[in-house]
Amino acid sequence: MVSSSDPSASSARDRIRDSALERFGRDGVNRVTIRAIAADAGVSPALVIHHFGSKESLRKACDAHVVALIRGGDDAAPDLTAMLESATPVRRYLARALLDGTSDAAALFDEIVELTADWLADGEREGWVRHSEQPHARAALYVTWLLAPLAFDTHLARVLGVADPHGIDATLRFAPVALDVFTHGIFTSDRELEAWRAVGKEHGSP
Amino acid sequence: MVSSSDPSASSARDRIRDSALERFGRDGVNRVTIRAIAADAGVSPALVIHHFGSKESLRKACDAHVVALIRGGDDAAPDLTAMLESATPVRRYLARALLDGTSDAAALFDEIVELTADWLADGEREGWVRHSEQPHARAALYVTWLLAPLAFDTHLARVLGVADPHGIDATLRFAPVALDVFTHGIFTSDRELEAWRAVGKEHGSP
DNA sequence: CTGCGGACTGAACATCTGTTTAGCATGACG
DNA sequence: CGTCATGCTAAACAGATGTTCAGTCCGCAG
């Protein structure tokens, strides 16, 4: 039917991978069947195995594809910005992969934290980022906080009353809220912070 | 063997529920088999069904149990603090339930956001919380940020080099980092914030 | 044309897994 | 003592699911 000389149609292999990406990200790997992926891609379940060998290999291929997309074609620098600007299925897949704890995703997470730490260190040197006593921990926390809305997207959408939490409208509306906290904080005084520090000291030398 | 008159041993029903709670939270519902739960509890798979009817009912029983624990016995007020002070398996289960999107967890999430919004509103009135242009969105975001370290616990543990991310030591070490951001922010100027606002206006009236 | 290699499929296979069923032990109650 | 409910189990069942197998179709090199 679809000849290989037709440039408009993507190859069956790519369609399978894209369908898997979509479903894996939306429902989680274990809830997705090869038959469902095959149906989405319009092929037989056997072809999925023919091209990828196994479901696990297919998942790894999705990992690799997403990592390649986020790392970008030219430079080898992954970036949270690049990630957050990726297409919705890609973002959802990555968030899901991080939550499921695949090894490729773990490596990517580590890389992103490193780059974020460097970025914050630059900002600190240049004066637009505040000093931190634990810069590495802060970078890691910052990354998880940027990922949090991705992980809890359905809950945020419901609570905030938006239809598509990944849409540009929702992003433009709620990104300033996060940025406001990142810029001015939430609490006006050191009261809570000092309370925690006191607990820590009390616990450290009893 | 274990007679019902022995008060030291918990009932098989409770052991099944606790085993399920533990495994569901650690691995996710789909990856856990009834046989594994039964083995953990030291009973037969059939007894799991005998007591709970089905795997789905067992999951709902876990939901209800966790919700009851977090809501507390006396007052009907769930609280993020109560949740974060819960035992590790309970916390992990709730985080997993929120990520999997069960209906009970969704209701609990909504409740927690409401209470957090009230709490922040109180703080704003009393002067220890900064003003927000979107207080409800800020409350929701705040909740997801407190949940984020739970969701990405394995990655944080790896990156920060701690063995048990849920332990008291890790909490005492890293909670001040979060609180520092919540108190002082990360960025020193409104530059990033203004940039976003500009994008929003540009997008809003092209 | 002939043969070959790769894309592709329908059907079957093997296994895993939630659930059912029939039955066993034990203690309570008449 | 009989029997009846209850907690519990072993074994089997049924459906889903990842994977294999044998074979078809088709473009193409020789």
Side-chain angles (χ1 to χ4, degrees):
Chain A
M1 308 302 172
V2 176
S3 110
S4 63
S5 62
D6 183 355
S8 71
S10 57
S11 74
R13 191 176 196 281
D14 288 353
R15 262 181 299 135
I16 291 171
R17 189 206 51 212
D18 290 344
S19 300
L21 198 72
E22 169 97 29
R23 278 198 115 97
F24 283 166
R26 184 146 39 88
D27 305 328
V29 175
N30 349 69
R31 276 189 279 216
V32 176
T33 69
I34 286 191
R35 282 168 175 81
I37 296 169
D40 284 358
V43 300
S44 70
L47 189 64
V48 176
I49 301 295
H50 174 72
H51 277 305
F52 293 94
S54 70
K55 188 184 183 182
E56 176 65 14
S57 299
L58 173 57
R59 209 221 59 218
K60 283 184 180 169
C62 289
D63 274 15
H65 183 61
V66 166
V67 167
L69 280 181
I70 290 179
R71 287 223 173 86
D74 37 9
D75 53 53
D79 193 350
L80 255 189
T81 311
M83 170 182 165
L84 296 176
E85 283 173 353
S86 304
T88 301
V90 174
R91 273 182 298 166
R92 262 205 300 238
Y93 179 89
L94 186 60
R96 180 72 73 167
L98 285 170
L99 294 172
D100 286 356
T102 75
S103 58
D104 289 298
L108 189 61
F109 183 90
D110 294 0
E111 256 183 277
I112 292 178
V113 169
E114 286 308 316
L115 285 164
T116 302
D118 292 346
W119 176 67
L120 288 173
D122 284 348
E124 201 172 325
R125 250 189 311 274
E126 296 169 12
W128 49 274
V129 166
R130 286 178 38 81
H131 173 73
S132 169
E133 293 180 11
Q134 302 185 63
H136 207 249
R138 181 176 69 173
L141 196 67
Y142 180 75
V143 171
T144 68
W145 283 356
L146 287 195
L147 292 174
L150 238 61
F152 298 101
D153 56 355
T154 60
H155 298 291
L156 280 182
R158 187 185 59 250
V159 165
L160 300 179
V162 297
D164 176 18
H166 299 288
I168 181 69
D169 295 335
T171 305
L172 284 174
R173 248 181 81 198
F174 298 116
V177 178
L179 222 36
D180 183 48
V181 176
F182 285 146
T183 305
H184 301 115
I186 288 181
F187 304 122
T188 56
S189 78
D190 286 2
R191 202 183 59 175
E192 278 79 13
L193 185 54
E194 290 307 327
W196 261 101
R197 286 225 176 89
V199 174
K201 277 175 186 162
E202 177 186 331
H203 189 84
S205 57
Chain B
M1 305 302 170
V2 175
S3 113
S4 62
S5 62
D6 183 356
S8 71
S10 57
S11 73
R13 191 177 196 279
D14 288 352
R15 263 181 297 133
I16 291 170
R17 189 206 50 211
D18 291 344
S19 301
L21 197 72
E22 169 97 28
R23 278 197 115 96
F24 283 166
R26 185 146 38 87
D27 305 329
V29 176
N30 325 303
R31 276 189 279 214
V32 176
T33 69
I34 286 191
R35 283 167 175 81
I37 296 170
D40 284 358
V43 300
S44 71
L47 190 64
V48 177
I49 300 294
H50 174 72
H51 276 306
F52 293 93
S54 70
K55 188 184 183 182
E56 176 65 14
S57 298
L58 173 58
R59 209 220 58 218
K60 282 184 180 169
C62 290
D63 273 15
H65 183 62
V66 165
V67 168
L69 280 180
I70 289 179
R71 286 224 173 84
D74 36 10
D75 54 53
D79 192 350
L80 254 188
T81 311
M83 171 182 164
L84 295 176
E85 283 172 353
S86 304
T88 301
V90 175
R91 275 181 297 166
R92 263 205 298 238
Y93 179 89
L94 186 61
R96 181 70 74 168
L98 285 171
L99 293 172
D100 286 356
T102 76
S103 57
D104 289 297
L108 189 62
F109 183 90
D110 294 0
E111 255 183 279
I112 293 177
V113 169
E114 286 308 315
L115 285 165
T116 303
D118 292 347
W119 175 67
L120 288 174
D122 284 348
E124 201 172 325
R125 249 190 311 275
E126 295 170 12
W128 49 274
V129 166
R130 288 179 36 81
H131 171 73
S132 170
E133 293 181 10
Q134 302 185 62
H136 207 250
R138 182 176 67 173
L141 196 67
Y142 180 74
V143 171
T144 68
W145 283 357
L146 287 195
L147 293 173
L150 237 61
F152 298 102
D153 56 356
T154 60
H155 298 291
L156 280 182
R158 187 185 59 250
V159 165
L160 300 180
V162 298
D164 176 18
H166 300 287
I168 183 68
D169 295 333
T171 304
L172 284 174
R173 247 180 81 201
F174 298 116
V177 178
L179 223 35
D180 183 49
V181 176
F182 284 146
T183 306
H184 301 114
I186 288 182
F187 303 122
T188 55
S189 77
D190 286 2
R191 201 183 61 174
E192 279 79 13
L193 185 53
E194 291 306 328
W196 262 101
R197 287 225 176 88
V199 173
K201 277 175 186 164
E202 178 186 332
H203 190 82
S205 57

